[in-house]
Amino acid sequence: MGIFAGMNKPSTTPAAVIDLPISGMTCAACAARIEKTLNRLPEVRAAVNFATEKAHIEYPAGRVTPEQLIGAVRKAGYDAQLPAADGDATRKAERLAAYHRDLRLFTVSAVLTLPFLALMLYMLVTGAHHATWLPPMAQLLIATPVQFWIGSRFYIGAGQALRGGGANMDVLIALGTSVAYFYSAAVVLFGLDGHLYFEAAASIITLVFLGKLLESRARARASSAIEELIRLQPQTARVERDGVITEIPVSEIRVGEVFVVRPGEAIPVDGKVIDGGSSVDEAMLTGESLPVAKTAGSTVYAATLNAQGLLRCTATGVGADTALAGIVRLVEEAQGSKAPIQRLADAVSGVFVPVVVALAVFTFAGWWWYSGTWTEALVPAVAVLVIACPCALGLATPTAIMVGSGTGARAGVLIRNAEALERAGHIDTLIVDKTGTLTRGLPAVTDIIPAAGADDEGLLRIAMALETGSEHPLARAVLEHARSRHITAVPALDFEAVSGKGLRARIDGRPALLGSPKFLAANGFMLDEDRVASLQDQGKTVIGVAHDGRLLGLIAIADPLRPTSGAAVAALQALGIEVIMLTGDNRRTAAHIAREAGITNFEAELLPQDKAQRVNALTQQGRQVGMIGDGVNDAPALAAARVSFAIGAGSDVAIHAADVTLMRSDLLSAVDAVSLSRATFRKIKQNLFFAFIYNVLGIPLAAAGLLNPVIAGAAMAMSSVSVVSNSLLLKKWKPLKTVIE
């Protein structure tokens, strides 16, 4: 994956992948420390995500074990465990229990801190330095449980980090509040002359605790996309067993079993309709608002909603093999990956805490030299420690990625990883295929033109024999037309596909050809060029068929433009993206489709390798090239593009080669992918700006003595919450089709 580029050298040992849940992280410095420790292991490539609290690790199977990985995490001062079978549910329950436990502790801390807040308000209003109604010994007694019971987590976290050889936010909080507490305790216990700062220590702990609670709640909302997807799948299914319909848990369905879906019910697993007819709402899977008609032979998907009619289906994909499970996995991988823009934040987070501690020491020394009393130097030094916030830096990128990828999944835009999401927003050129991308991908035969001495049936019989087994949309059109006329295919032997040109085989022991007019002409068959040109000018694709040394005739196929393609091209152009059509079809047909779609730059009659060469040529010109396609022939160009988009209804080869899968099979989804990418990275840049400017301005103000430590602590606590809340605004993003409608 792209997130691992430039880490350890690749290994010839087979790589295993694991996502380890991590506990004990409190800021981005923790994630950076764990990642650095894991990447020191031989041939291990790890990316630790602070927002998702997971480490995505590739490791050499047999040479490194999961137990060793967990041991490395623990050595760094944190904890990890193997993913549970119901990992997400378990983690959610654990987080919920921890949240409620922390909420109770915060309530106690807030109650104990209230007298200090009243004291600060009293001193602010009256100008007094102390209040007789809250004597020093009472302050000590109230502050002690806040410092060492409520605040124990900061000491524990700091100790674990220091033992692991690093430093994190806990070190800053523990150090800052300890200085304020122990100085004040010494004044009370030894009768020294000096101000008390119990209110600063207690208030900082309480406010940081509040910030962590709010942050935890906001992060849960940011990661809610996966939970929403999982909740869509029903828990039970109606299965036919021994002629009886039995309701069983979805987990017990097996491939090949027959299940029944009544009107209004969600489909439990992926399947193929045996009989019945209905319309199914597939919006959760594709983002398409209109129901899809289902009849015998149609494919149905888990968690989609059967709107009307009874469907009887055979299970084809269950458990982890359903389309829904694949979407969940892809979203999880995207949310756990790192975007290149995060490198700066990671680099800063890795050295942040030691630098802040050093600045606090210099601040203390400077104020002591300036004022002549070390008590006056204490307040700005503590303020420097508690104003600094590595958390906001660590959350700036991953929370936006989490919300963006989840929002995209609900709109039918599946993004492989954060790097692909970032690159999608940078493209300035989008290369599109014609068939199935700009057009509906459901071509139909419009004209059968037999040559002299041949007939329709003979022409279609040979064409059907040659096209049998092909997944190309044009082949399907020929096959469906032949079947509709009840023509039976004859066997074809020595089959050979000439890439981008046509097909060759032996039928009845004699050679047969099917392909473009140029392909047949190159093999010695002369076609009526005027007739071919006339059909092509109408936007039709023409194929010729020959057998036993003579031309049998022509077949014209039309694949109309998708209704939304013109609007999509216009929208892409409005985003500053040039749309170029590359197709293997003839120039006249290509020109007709390009003209209808509003595309001025196109090339026709290209082989698959030609498309890849055009992509490479544009890339060498400095362009950021995206490629969208749906077929096996598009795979080389998809692989060569900076960002590749696959139409969801396309071939598995195209989808596996792509960075972004468009489940809606609509070019408008490509507009959505670019728009979502740009919206996400606007949020990331805003988050990083807020995080950096907060620290850049806050630390100098604290060092200059212009910030009270309590205000500094409140600002630090709220900085992370503001970053996560800003990321959550991405949920307001809407797909273009929704906006148009």
Side-chain angles (χ1 to χ4, degrees):
M1 294 175 65
I3 58 172
F4 300 119
M7 287 186 175
N8 293 345
K9 292 181 180 180
S11 168
T12 55
T13 307
V17 178
I18 192 170
D19 288 298
L20 290 180
I22 305 292
S23 55
M25 292 192 296
T26 58
C27 67
C30 302
R33 173 69 186 167
I34 296 169
E35 189 171 295
K36 186 176 180 181
T37 301
L38 286 169
N39 283 319
R40 285 176 182 159
L41 296 174
E43 299 176 11
V44 169
R45 295 177 289 179
V48 179
N49 191 312
F50 174 49
T52 60
E53 297 181 312
K54 287 183 179 180
H56 182 82
I57 308 169
E58 289 185 6
Y59 62 97
R63 295 191 58 188
V64 176
T65 65
E67 289 72 22
Q68 287 176 292
L69 298 173
I70 292 173
V73 173
R74 289 173 178 166
K75 186 178 179 181
Y78 306 90
D79 196 15
Q81 50 273 333
L82 293 173
D86 59 342
D88 290 327
T90 301
R91 291 279 287 176
K92 183 182 178 183
E94 290 173 351
R95 287 175 181 171
L96 188 61
Y99 176 82
H100 288 300
R101 183 174 62 251
D102 289 348
L103 186 59
R104 290 191 295 270
L105 286 173
F106 166 73
T107 303
V108 174
S109 184
V111 170
L112 292 173
T113 305
L114 279 175
F116 290 119
L117 295 177
L119 176 64
M120 285 188 289
L121 182 62
Y122 172 80
M123 291 189 293
L124 182 65
V125 172
T126 64
H129 294 295
H130 64 277
T132 56
W133 56 269
L134 191 62
M137 185 56 70
Q139 293 185 42
L140 174 63
L141 293 175
I142 295 173
T144 299
V146 176
Q147 185 71 35
F148 298 108
W149 176 36
I150 307 299
S152 62
R153 64 182 51 220
F154 301 116
Y155 287 104
I156 293 170
Q160 290 175 336
L162 292 171
R163 280 196 301 273
N168 59 7
M169 186 198 74
D170 291 332
V171 172
L172 299 179
I173 301 302
L175 187 58
T177 59
S178 294
V179 169
Y181 174 85
F182 284 113
Y183 167 76
S184 302
V187 169
V188 172
L189 296 175
F190 299 109
L192 303 177
D193 184 21
H195 295 297
L196 300 181
Y197 298 104
F198 287 123
E199 79 282 356
S203 299
I204 288 168
I205 288 174
T206 301
L207 288 169
V208 172
F209 215 133
L210 174 61
K212 283 295 177 186
L213 282 172
L214 295 175
E215 177 191 315
S216 175
R217 187 172 181 177
R219 283 162 64 182
R221 287 178 60 199
S223 61
S224 63
I226 291 177
E227 293 175 13
E228 291 174 11
L229 288 171
I230 293 172
R231 281 199 299 268
L232 292 170
Q233 188 168 17
Q235 300 301 306
T236 60
R238 304 177 191 281
V239 179
E240 286 188 9
R241 290 181 175 174
D242 300 323
V244 178
I245 296 178
T246 306
E247 188 168 338
I248 64 171
V250 167
S251 59
E252 294 181 9
I253 298 183
R254 299 291 176 262
V255 172
E257 286 195 295
V258 175
F259 63 91
V260 175
V261 187
R262 298 183 301 191
E265 292 182 340
I267 295 168
V269 295
D270 290 359
K272 192 170 287 292
V273 178
I274 302 172
D275 52 54
S278 181
S279 59
V280 175
D281 181 357
E282 296 182 345
M284 53 71 55
L285 192 70
T286 66
E288 176 58 66
S289 58
L290 295 176
V292 180
K294 301 291 181 180
T295 56
S298 299
T299 301
V300 293
Y301 301 99
T304 55
L305 186 65
N306 181 23
Q308 60 189 30
L310 184 72
L311 291 176
R312 187 165 168 265
C313 314
T314 301
T316 58
V318 301
D321 296 325
T322 63
L324 176 64
I327 291 173
V328 169
R329 279 195 302 273
L330 199 59
V331 174
E332 285 180 330
E333 289 173 8
Q335 292 184 342
S337 62
K338 285 188 179 182
I341 197 173
Q342 193 172 341
R343 291 170 187 160
L344 176 61
D346 286 347
V348 173
S349 299
V351 297
F352 188 88
V353 175
V355 169
V356 170
V357 172
L359 288 173
V361 171
F362 283 123
T363 300
F364 181 82
W367 274 94
W368 192 0
W369 173 81
Y370 174 76
S371 65
T373 59
W374 67 275
T375 54
E376 288 210 22
L378 185 67
V379 173
V382 171
V384 168
L385 289 171
V386 298
I387 190 69
C389 184
C391 297
L393 285 173
L395 292 168
T397 301
T399 53
I401 296 293
M402 288 167 66
V403 179
S405 57
T407 301
R410 287 195 297 273
V413 178
L414 302 183
I415 299 154
R416 189 174 298 278
N417 53 45
E419 186 173 7
L421 180 60
E422 180 173 352
R423 287 178 173 179
H426 293 158
I427 64 170
D428 53 32
T429 305
L430 181 64
I431 293 176
V432 298
D433 181 42
K434 179 182 74 67
T435 304
T437 303
L438 288 171
T439 62
R440 290 179 179 274
L442 297 172
V445 172
T446 59
D447 302 88
I448 302 291
I449 307 166
D455 56 40
D456 290 12
E457 186 173 334
L459 170 59
L460 283 171
R461 180 175 289 107
I462 299 300
M464 188 179 187
L466 287 162
E467 296 282 32
T468 297
S470 175
E471 290 297 319
H472 194 282
L474 298 182
R476 289 198 296 269
V478 172
L479 292 172
E480 287 175 9
H481 186 79
R483 289 173 187 139
S484 70
R485 296 182 58 169
H486 306 291
I487 293 173
T488 305
V490 293
L493 303 176
D494 302 329
F495 183 88
E496 178 188 356
V498 183
S499 182
K501 296 179 180 179
L503 307 169
R504 182 182 286 119
R506 296 186 69 80
I507 299 174
D508 296 331
R510 295 183 290 276
L513 294 174
L514 178 148
S516 67
K518 282 191 175 183
F519 178 61
L520 265 72
N523 284 274
F525 297 97
M526 300 304 296
L527 285 70
D528 184 339
E529 294 183 3
D530 292 337
R531 188 65 178 272
V532 170
S534 174
L535 292 168
Q536 291 173 344
D537 286 339
Q538 299 171 43
K540 298 177 181 179
T541 299
V542 180
I543 58 176
V545 181
H547 181 231
D548 193 21
R550 73 186 183 99
L551 180 69
L552 296 183
L554 304 174
I555 300 175
I557 302 169
D559 184 13
L561 194 72
R562 292 182 190 274
T564 56
S565 289
V569 170
L572 288 164
Q573 292 168 343
L575 291 171
I577 299 170
E578 182 183 6
V579 181
I580 301 173
M581 184 180 79
L582 301 182
T583 178
D585 212 337
N586 68 85
R587 184 170 183 81
R588 284 192 173 90
T589 302
H592 178 84
I593 294 296
R595 187 166 53 252
E596 282 193 318
I599 297 172
T600 56
N601 192 349
F602 71 93
E603 290 188 58
E605 301 176 3
L606 297 176
L607 300 176
Q609 57 267 33
D610 296 331
K611 294 182 183 180
Q613 288 172 1
R614 299 301 189 278
V615 172
N616 288 327
L618 289 167
T619 301
Q620 289 170 6
Q621 294 174 17
R623 294 206 192 185
Q624 300 294 314
V625 183
M627 167 71 190
I628 179 169
D630 73 326
V632 175
N633 62 324
D634 297 319
L638 289 169
R642 177 78 171 168
V643 184
S644 51
F645 304 83
I647 292 290
S651 71
D652 288 343
V653 174
I655 291 172
H656 290 158
D659 297 312
V660 181
T661 300
L662 310 176
M663 298 297 293
R664 205 168 60 221
S665 298
D666 188 328
L667 192 59
L668 280 176
S669 289
V671 182
D672 291 338
V674 174
S675 169
L676 179 61
S677 169
R678 294 184 180 182
T680 301
F681 280 86
R682 276 196 300 271
K683 287 298 175 192
I684 289 175
K685 289 173 182 177
Q686 291 169 7
N687 289 346
L688 288 172
F689 173 79
F690 293 147
F692 276 115
I693 203 70
Y694 164 83
N695 286 293
V696 167
L697 295 179
I699 292 175
L701 287 173
L706 301 176
L707 278 180
N708 181 283
V710 175
I711 297 174
M716 189 276 280
M718 292 302 105
S719 64
S720 297
V721 178
S722 64
V723 164
V724 178
S725 299
N726 189 48
S727 295
L728 285 169
L729 293 176
L730 274 171
K731 289 193 172 185
K732 294 183 177 180
W733 175 88
K734 299 294 182 185
L736 179 60
K737 190 167 185 178
T738 302
V739 175
I740 292 174
E741 292 172 349

